Amino acid sequence: MIILSRLADYGVIVATHLAGIPDRQVNAAAVAAATRLPPATVAKVLKRLAHGGIVTGARGATGGYRLARAPEEISIAEVVAAIDGEIGVTQCASHVEGCDRTNFCPTRPHWAHINRAVSQALGAVTLAEMVGPDFLRPRPSSQVHASP
Amino acid sequence: MIILSRLADYGVIVATHLAGIPDRQVNAAAVAAATRLPPATVAKVLKRLAHGGIVTGARGATGGYRLARAPEEISIAEVVAAIDGEIGVTQCASHVEGCDRTNFCPTRPHWAHINRAVSQALGAVTLAEMVGPDFLRPRPSSQVHASP
DNA sequence: AGGAAAGCGTACCAACTTGGTCCGAATTTG
DNA sequence: CAAATTCGGACCAAGTTGGTACGCTTTCCT
Ligand code: SF4
Ligand code: SF4
């Protein structure tokens, strides 16, 4: 099964591309050309990212999109949540609504734990980690949060 | 976004229910009655679980389903994979095929790391954890019928 | 041996979510 | 002031999924 949808995948790619040019607002067509993605789809992705607060869109002739925050402040979970909504393994994980079996479902509390682990896995990686080092190699050190 | 599909969710519920009765093979209708799920759907779930090697189905008049292995040997990732296929955050995470952008996609290696974390999160919990110790049971008012 | 019960497989259908495309409103340049 | 450019939301088609139904094979009981 595929965890996140294709739109969310594209969203991370676009956000990563935006993270490489923090001070430069570019339009959707330029991002599409740089990422080799369908222009219409990337426009939709930028749109949802703007709605989610990940990027800010400037209208007008010289308008374009720009990262709303620093790349190291935006996590993959944020980007995914901006496109596909809140992350949750099941309906009951995020919203109690949506499933009428919450009362007698024995597996519900256990899924909350799994949901937390998954959210942490997606929230631990930021856009700075995506654009900074080309090769994936998180430092052998266990802790990554404490930075000098 | 919802990580796993509803069928996979039901599959875990069914597998957990099966884990509570290791030596007793029951038919699909009994499982559906016990879990309060649609009989046809639970039959489909059991079917897929049997195809994935999670449970074994015995034909005949007194047939039924039974766990193929010990509850502590079956992880949630196994159950989910049996129903919805291999777990992967993206197409490139599991199978290289399916996305023609693997050559110039900068985020692909990073996804592998995230995919591993997610798989571990789902693979760390077993069915024994689901059915065995009810460590988190805040005294529900409507207790299920306990066997005398 | 015959009948009934239950799994197994396939097939089919409906529905929703997703992917993609389009046109209109707002803003800046000149 | 007008034209060009761009974001914004609305619209539509398609794929996938969820769910159901039927028929066949296998096994036990009578
Ligand atoms: S309450 Fe149970 S059936 Fe409903 S979404 Fe949660 S785990 Fe799934
Ligand atoms: S190669 Fe890139 S676009 Fe393709 S599935 Fe992997 S991350 Fe997504």
Side-chain angles (χ1 to χ4, degrees):
Chain A
M1 71 177 301
I2 303 301
I3 296 293
L4 47 83
S5 62
R6 194 175 301 184
L7 266 283
D9 187 1
Y10 293 171
V12 176
I13 295 173
V14 169
T16 303
H17 181 73
L18 264 296
I21 43 177
D23 295 336
R24 195 153 190 166
Q25 67 266 23
V26 293
N27 57 14
V31 176
T35 56
R36 306 299 287 173
L37 290 171
T41 302
V42 76
K44 189 174 188 176
V45 169
L46 264 315
K47 198 177 306 179
R48 292 209 179 187
L49 262 56
H51 190 74
I54 304 298
V55 301
T56 56
R59 293 186 184 180
T62 63
Y65 286 100
R66 192 166 62 98
L67 265 185
R69 298 185 63 83
E72 60 185 3
E73 292 289 337
I74 302 173
S75 65
I76 303 301
E78 292 286 336
V79 178
V80 173
I83 294 179
D84 284 359
E86 183 68 24
I87 299 174
V89 287
T90 58
Q91 273 82 357
C92 66
S94 302
H95 313 82
V96 182
E97 55 187 324
C99 186
D100 53 346
R101 271 176 292 284
T102 53
N103 295 326
F104 56 91
C105 188
T107 61
R108 189 164 66 96
H110 299 275
W111 259 316
H113 183 204
I114 298 174
N115 185 33
R116 186 176 182 177
V118 172
S119 299
Q120 185 181 8
L122 260 66
V125 182
T126 63
L127 291 180
E129 292 286 330
M130 288 280 192
V131 69
D134 291 350
F135 286 167
L136 162 69
R137 185 54 62 184
R139 295 296 176 260
S141 302
S142 56
Q143 284 299 94
V144 295
H145 187 70
S147 301
Chain B
M1 73 175 302
I2 304 301
I3 297 292
L4 47 84
S5 63
R6 193 174 303 185
L7 268 282
D9 186 1
Y10 292 170
V12 176
I13 295 173
V14 169
T16 302
H17 181 73
L18 264 296
I21 41 178
D23 294 338
R24 196 152 188 165
Q25 65 265 28
V26 292
N27 56 12
V31 176
T35 55
R36 307 298 288 174
L37 290 171
T41 302
V42 76
K44 187 176 187 175
V45 168
L46 264 315
K47 199 177 305 178
R48 291 208 181 190
L49 262 57
H51 190 73
I54 305 298
V55 300
T56 56
R59 292 187 184 178
T62 63
Y65 286 99
R66 191 165 62 98
L67 266 185
R69 299 185 63 82
E72 60 184 3
E73 292 290 337
I74 302 173
S75 63
I76 303 300
E78 292 286 337
V79 177
V80 173
I83 293 179
D84 284 358
E86 184 67 25
I87 298 173
V89 286
T90 58
Q91 274 82 358
C92 67
S94 301
H95 313 81
V96 182
E97 55 186 321
C99 186
D100 53 347
R101 271 177 293 285
T102 52
N103 295 326
F104 56 92
C105 188
T107 61
R108 189 164 66 95
H110 300 274
W111 280 125
H113 184 205
I114 297 174
N115 184 34
R116 186 175 182 178
V118 172
S119 298
Q120 186 181 7
L122 260 67
V125 182
T126 63
L127 291 182
E129 293 287 329
M130 289 278 191
V131 68
D134 47 353
F135 60 94
L136 181 54
R137 185 65 66 92
R139 194 180 301 256
S141 57
S142 61
Q143 183 63 291
V144 291
H145 48 78
S147 303

